Amino acid sequence: MNELKRIIKEQKKIFVSFFLIIVVVPFVFVSMWYAGMHEISFGVYNGDTSALSRNIVQMLESTDALKITYFAESPEELQEAVKYKTVAAGIIIPENFNMDIKNKLCPTIILIANGTDLILGGNALGAAAKVVGTLSAGTQIMT
């Protein structure tokens, strides 16, 4: 036991470093990861403005992970906002989206994210994909 105490006193820096690496560093990374999970800035381009597309936007607004902070006037404007980090990610709802669904033409919703922050972009796309997937399942049941 005395030998262990002597080793601890002599190697104090190693034990402190070990403690920091094992306890503090993971805590910092988990805190940063968790902080990126809520209210991620999100942009929307709604080219359709139908009840269905407004419902999509409303569903996106209701998620805890996303906070819609930007409404673009064009898809290009939204792409620029994502590119220059005005928002972390966004969704492009094309013109005639509702009409294409009614005509069973399989319209495409585009989700975009800035890939420079993988955690933020990935979480934003995941939350948006969940909303779109829920809508898609409901649309398939109704048709």
Side-chain angles (χ1 to χ4, degrees):
M1 189 67 159
N2 288 335
E3 184 68 24
L4 181 62
K5 288 180 183 179
R6 184 184 64 74
I7 292 172
I8 290 173
K9 284 182 182 179
E10 290 175 0
Q11 304 297 328
K12 200 180 263 187
K13 287 182 182 179
I14 293 174
F15 284 110
V16 170
S17 298
F18 182 74
F19 175 78
L20 288 174
I21 290 170
I22 297 300
V23 176
V24 176
V25 172
F27 176 76
V28 170
F29 281 110
V30 168
S31 297
M32 287 173 25
W33 176 77
Y34 185 75
M37 297 279 290
H38 299 287
E39 295 189 350
I40 301 167
S41 64
F42 197 77
V44 172
Y45 168 69
N46 187 357
D48 190 38
T49 66
S50 65
L52 178 61
S53 65
R54 286 192 307 271
N55 188 32
I56 294 170
V57 174
Q58 190 175 32
M59 289 172 69
L60 290 167
E61 287 176 331
S62 69
T63 65
D64 292 337
L66 303 175
K67 182 175 184 179
I68 297 177
T69 59
Y70 192 82
F71 286 92
E73 297 293 323
S74 69
E76 294 79 17
E77 182 183 339
L78 181 59
Q79 289 173 341
E80 290 292 313
V82 171
K83 180 179 179 180
Y84 294 110
K85 298 183 183 180
T86 304
V87 292
I91 187 169
I92 297 173
I93 303 171
E95 295 177 11
N96 301 317
F97 177 74
N98 189 40
M99 190 63 70
D100 287 349
I101 286 180
K102 286 181 179 179
N103 293 330
K104 299 182 181 181
L105 296 176
C106 292
T108 302
I109 289 180
I110 300 170
L111 298 173
I112 56 175
N114 188 319
T116 58
D117 187 340
L118 295 177
I119 293 174
L120 208 58
N123 288 337
L125 289 180
K130 192 175 186 180
V131 168
V132 173
T134 301
L135 172 80
S136 177
T139 303
Q140 289 174 0
I141 291 170
M142 291 179 353
T143 58

